[in-house]
Amino acid sequence: MDGRGLVRSARVFGAVGVFGSVRGLTTVRAAWRRRRTDAAGLPRQGAERARVPGPAEGAEPLPGGGTVRFARSSLRVCVSAGGTVFWGWDGAEPEPSYALAGAAPEPDPRAVLEPDTDGGWRVVSERVTVAVSRHGAVEIRTPGGVTLRRDLPPRWWDPVDGGPSRWAQRAEVAADARFFGLGGRSAGPRLRDGSYRLWNTDPQGRFGPGDDPLYITMPVQFVVADAGTHLAFHDSSWDGRVTLAEGEEGAGSGHDRPGTVEVRMEGGPLRCWVVVGTPARVLHHWAALTGAPALPPAWALGPQHARWGFGSAAEVRRVVAGYRERGLPLSAVHLDIDHYDGHRVFTVDRERFPDLPGLAEELRGQGVRLVSIVDPAVAAEPGNVLYEAGRAAGAFVRDARGEEVRGVVWPGECAFPDFTDPAVREWWGGLYEERLRQGFSGVWHDMNEPVSFAAFGDPTLPRSARHHLDGRGGDHREAHNVYGLLMARAGYEGLRRLRPGERPFLFTRSGWAGMQRYGGTWSGDVATGWPGLRASLALVLGLGLCGVPYSGPDVGGFDGSPSPELFLRWFQLGAWLPLFRTHAALDAGRREPWEFGPEVLEHARVALAERERLHPYFVTLARLARMTGAPYVRPVWWGTPEDRVLRECEDAFLLGDALLVAPVLHRGQDRRAVRLPRGRWYDTATGRAYEGPGQVLLGAPLARVPVLARAGAVLPVRGEDGEPVLEVWAPAPGRTGGGLVVRDTGDGWEPAEIERYQSRLVEGRVVVERVTEAGPVEPELPVRVRGGVKGREGGGVVGPSA
């Protein structure tokens, strides 16, 4: 930050009432301190030597592939038994890595490194072929020989005086390829031409579709093309940029212009994982590599309410009573930083919340849990027991001189735990015992990019700050992007130790590749407005393709006051997303549905009722996400990625395999066009059937958004008595359908069984059967058929066709 930025920082923070002028001056002093720290602790930019691999000189076979030696570098290539490809330059190995859930997958013993044409080498396996040119280009090919990706020879810039090397890797993909992923990107889900930074950032205020980067950045590219789908992950946590350029197909006899990806990193190993296959297969193997998604407790799949500024236990009771009196379901209330004593983490304001455990017990008796915010910054002040304990344990981040690093966050001047140290993670995880004693059932991590208000414009710790990095040692340039991930690990593992019989509920604002192992995330401070509504959907879809299936936005937007129409449309979208949470800033007004008038209240009631009715389906999707890596919310091209028209669709999504949701994202819209995948689809409101692929125009009154069900789909819902029922949408003549059901086994670690069902038409009647190893049997659950079929409920054979 330059002097002009410091002046702007002082003005902004001095104008915010929460800080006041004194704290504004504190941020300026801390910012100057940060600059001095980096000036003293970071090596000066000196002379560099550019380097490329040079010509190939030989190769050494190894399990799953081998090492190719070049004049100025070496490349290790390994294909796992499942077909996942790893390659690393200059001796880079899969481990250590914060992204991996455990050890790297076993090499495929049948994959052998062998000479290729023109002096190159190749590794052939059942699912993928890897070809290495004599100058170091790496091609990923299908078994049929079609090239999915070609990474050109990389380039390094090695400091003459030693130190980490910068590097750049350029790749080419098919001319028709489309890009997704890179973490949480508000401009997505399809990522257009442009440069995307890899540095987790708090935008320090509201954000919209044009703001980048945000809280979660990942070097994870999800690429979809006619030839196939693949995911590429460059495993370096350093600051970097990914520059994307879509290709162009030549007209007539003209040549195609391939799409390009350029990854530039300021340091770290140059290594990459590539997974190929269908979208479902890609994410299944990605989850196997980086960890199965954490399974939220069943109550966390219900509607949740948060506000920065509840202010007191009485206000919490008033809001919960408002839901109950109006017959609206509510599963959790989230308390923000205002419930802390002076914003200090792991404390309680006893005047405003005199008996927090009693409040939690009272609400739990009404089916409502309490969820607590947890920030990483610890107030560095005399008498703060937590700070003194952390200081005694050597838990806080220090600079190159061994001095404790300070920043300014909500409590004032703060120290920051070093979550890259296993001992610090264990210590921090044990602190959650206090939250459990207060009656909280879950936590949400905030401000963990990490944020220091002293660095307005780049709200981070000094880049020279020293970190343990699990014994390797290093600075904040490497640790920054994984800080939130490792805080989530500390919290998740602590909660598991403290309450081993219950699944932890944790979601985090910042994270990195593999964060799904510890929980989910939410949008952060999305701007109130129609663009913010659209960005909310983009974030959920993009994160799902990076392996993070549980997420959702701040319904209504974080700042400002939404119009009744905007709030309702946001509420309707949120009702179909995994994390369904209303939330607002301190001065942004209320987000209770009845605050927007009787019409909005009644329409919100319908959305809540449908969410509750579909609760067993959300439980199934959560279980399947853990078992398979498939996100709850999927792009409409999920099952047919070769459909180019569907690849362009960004305003609708699939919820599992059974439902297609088309939210209203524009003001005043009461109809909207919906692009259908192939097959028959039923409008769930009217029962009318439509054939895809194609586009239909559907009604979208304020009362609802268009939702379509796939013909033949079998999904679990709640019946009128609250017990699960199989809802079956009649298959089209001559076609079959089916679905998977996983029943709720409680919020512990009880194993769950996948039940498989198939549906078909037999002489005009819908037949529903459970598929077992012994053969098809009649389902135990009652069956209700919808979609143009009349008949009784219950049993497995239902109704004549209409």
Side-chain angles (χ1 to χ4, degrees), residues 466-535:
R466 302 298 298 173
H467 289 267
H468 186 271
L469 289 170
D470 286 85
R472 293 180 292 111
D475 60 40
H476 198 65
R477 293 175 297 174
E478 181 178 0
H480 174 80
N481 281 338
V482 297
Y483 189 88
L485 168 77
L486 296 175
M487 182 186 179
R489 177 179 177 179
Y492 182 84
E493 292 178 347
L495 289 169
R496 284 205 64 172
R497 290 194 304 270
L498 293 166
R499 194 163 286 177
E502 293 183 16
R503 300 195 300 271
F505 177 53
L506 183 151
F507 62 104
T508 173
R509 191 169 79 172
S510 182
W512 200 62
M515 62 182 288
Q516 73 278 355
R517 300 191 294 265
Y518 313 118
T521 185
W522 88 104
S523 65
D525 302 342
V526 62
T528 296
W530 294 94
L533 171 59
R534 190 177 187 93

Side-chain angles (χ1 to χ4, degrees), residues 193-219:
D193 295 0
S195 180
Y196 301 86
R197 191 178 178 193
L198 299 169
W199 188 253
N200 291 351
T201 302
D202 173 16
Q204 298 257 305
R206 65 179 188 173
F207 71 85
D211 294 307
D212 189 87
L214 297 177
Y215 314 98
I216 300 173
T217 66
M218 298 183 194

Side-chain angles (χ1 to χ4, degrees), residues 29-201:
R29 287 197 296 268
W32 280 116
R33 187 166 63 238
R34 176 183 180 275
R35 291 189 69 194
R36 291 197 306 270
T37 299
D38 278 347
L42 287 177
R44 296 184 181 276
Q45 182 71 41
E48 296 176 320
R49 291 193 182 95
R51 171 170 60 94
V52 294
E57 295 182 340
E60 176 188 359
L62 293 169
T67 299
V68 182
R69 298 187 303 277
F70 296 85
R72 290 176 289 278
S73 189
S74 63
L75 173 68
R76 170 77 167 101
V77 177
C78 182
V79 180
S80 75
T84 299
V85 177
F86 170 82
W87 52 256
W89 287 94
D90 286 348
E93 295 290 337
E95 300 173 66
S97 169
Y98 286 119
L100 270 59
E106 291 295 320
D108 183 352
R110 298 168 298 176
V112 179
L113 181 69
E114 59 188 28
D116 201 4
T117 58
D118 198 26
W121 300 81
R122 68 178 182 179
V123 180
V124 180
S125 71
E126 181 181 2
R127 297 184 181 276
V128 67
T129 295
V130 184
V132 181
S133 77
R134 60 190 178 96
H135 291 293
V138 179
E139 287 192 8
I140 306 296
R141 302 171 183 164
T142 68
V146 178
T147 299
L148 296 177
R149 181 185 188 90
R150 184 171 189 262
D151 285 272
L152 304 177
R155 181 181 294 268
W156 294 268
W157 288 268
D158 301 323
V160 172
D161 297 330
S165 299
R166 299 184 296 118
W167 55 262
Q169 174 76 68
R170 190 169 183 269
E172 295 178 344
V173 297
D176 66 285
R178 295 292 179 261
F179 300 108
F180 303 85
L182 297 184
R185 304 287 171 170
S186 61
R190 173 186 162 197
L191 301 177
R192 265 64 174 185
D193 295 0
S195 180
Y196 301 86
R197 191 178 178 193
L198 299 169
W199 188 253
N200 291 351
T201 302

Side-chain angles (χ1 to χ4, degrees), residues 342-684:
H343 295 158
R344 291 185 293 270
V345 67
F346 299 121
T347 65
V348 177
D349 186 331
R350 299 295 180 182
E351 292 185 7
R352 296 180 176 182
F353 294 86
D355 182 14
L356 193 52
L359 174 65
E361 184 178 3
E362 172 189 330
L363 296 184
R364 187 153 187 165
Q366 303 171 31
V368 178
R369 269 78 169 182
L370 280 184
V371 176
S372 171
I373 192 171
V374 174
D375 291 351
V378 176
E381 58 188 17
N384 183 354
V385 176
L386 178 59
Y387 172 67
E388 298 296 343
R391 192 175 185 184
F396 298 121
V397 176
R398 298 182 176 272
D399 62 21
R401 297 170 298 182
E403 299 292 327
E404 193 176 275
V405 170
R406 299 283 182 85
V408 178
V409 197
W410 300 117
E413 194 167 61
C414 294
F416 298 83
D418 183 7
F419 295 116
T420 71
D421 185 337
V424 175
R425 291 197 297 268
E426 184 173 3
W427 168 71
W428 185 265
L431 299 176
Y432 289 74
E433 182 180 9
E434 183 273 341
R435 295 286 88 184
L436 297 178
R437 286 200 312 269
Q438 298 296 344
F440 288 107
S441 298
V443 295
W444 52 299
H445 288 173
D446 201 2
M447 311 296 288
N448 59 337
E449 290 70 33
V451 173
S452 171
F453 292 144
F456 191 80
D458 188 10
T460 70
L461 299 184
R463 291 176 176 241
S464 59
R466 302 298 298 173
H467 289 267
H468 186 271
L469 289 170
D470 286 85
R472 293 180 292 111
D475 60 40
H476 198 65
R477 293 175 297 174
E478 181 178 0
H480 174 80
N481 281 338
V482 297
Y483 189 88
L485 168 77
L486 296 175
M487 182 186 179
R489 177 179 177 179
Y492 182 84
E493 292 178 347
L495 289 169
R496 284 205 64 172
R497 290 194 304 270
L498 293 166
R499 194 163 286 177
E502 293 183 16
R503 300 195 300 271
F505 177 53
L506 183 151
F507 62 104
T508 173
R509 191 169 79 172
S510 182
W512 200 62
M515 62 182 288
Q516 73 278 355
R517 300 191 294 265
Y518 313 118
T521 185
W522 88 104
S523 65
D525 302 342
V526 62
T528 296
W530 294 94
L533 171 59
R534 190 177 187 93
S536 297
L537 176 57
L539 287 164
V540 174
L541 282 166
L543 286 164
L545 294 175
C546 292
V548 185
Y550 183 83
S551 68
D554 283 344
V555 168
F558 181 70
D559 67 323
S561 299
S563 67
E565 180 192 4
L566 175 59
F567 175 79
L568 177 60
R569 292 309 195 187
W570 218 317
F571 198 87
Q572 290 168 334
L573 169 63
W576 297 95
L577 300 179
L579 172 58
F580 180 20
R581 179 180 95 144
T582 56
H583 186 43
L586 185 65
D587 57 350
R590 302 185 186 279
R591 290 289 189 270
E592 293 87 52
W594 56 89
E595 297 290 341
F596 296 87
E599 184 180 19
V600 169
L601 174 59
E602 289 311 307
H603 298 331
R605 188 191 308 279
V606 172
L608 284 168
E610 185 65 3
R611 173 68 176 225
E612 288 295 282
R613 193 181 74 87
L614 287 170
H615 190 268
Y617 186 50
F618 276 94
V619 169
T620 290
L621 294 178
R623 289 281 186 175
L624 293 178
R626 180 164 181 81
M627 295 174 182
T628 69
Y632 313 29
V633 170
R634 309 165 186 177
V636 292
W637 46 258
W638 177 261
T640 53
E642 69 280 0
D643 188 327
R644 296 190 180 187
V645 176
L646 289 180
R647 292 207 294 261
E648 309 297 322
C649 178
E650 301 177 278
D651 60 357
F653 59 90
L654 297 175
L655 183 62
D657 286 330
L659 301 175
L660 190 158
V661 182
V664 173
L665 305 176
H666 301 280
R667 179 189 292 112
Q669 191 175 29
D670 60 3
R671 293 188 304 168
R672 61 151 299 173
V674 181
R675 179 67 61 176
L676 301 179
R678 67 188 177 206
R680 174 175 289 185
W681 295 85
Y682 293 101
D683 184 334
T684 58

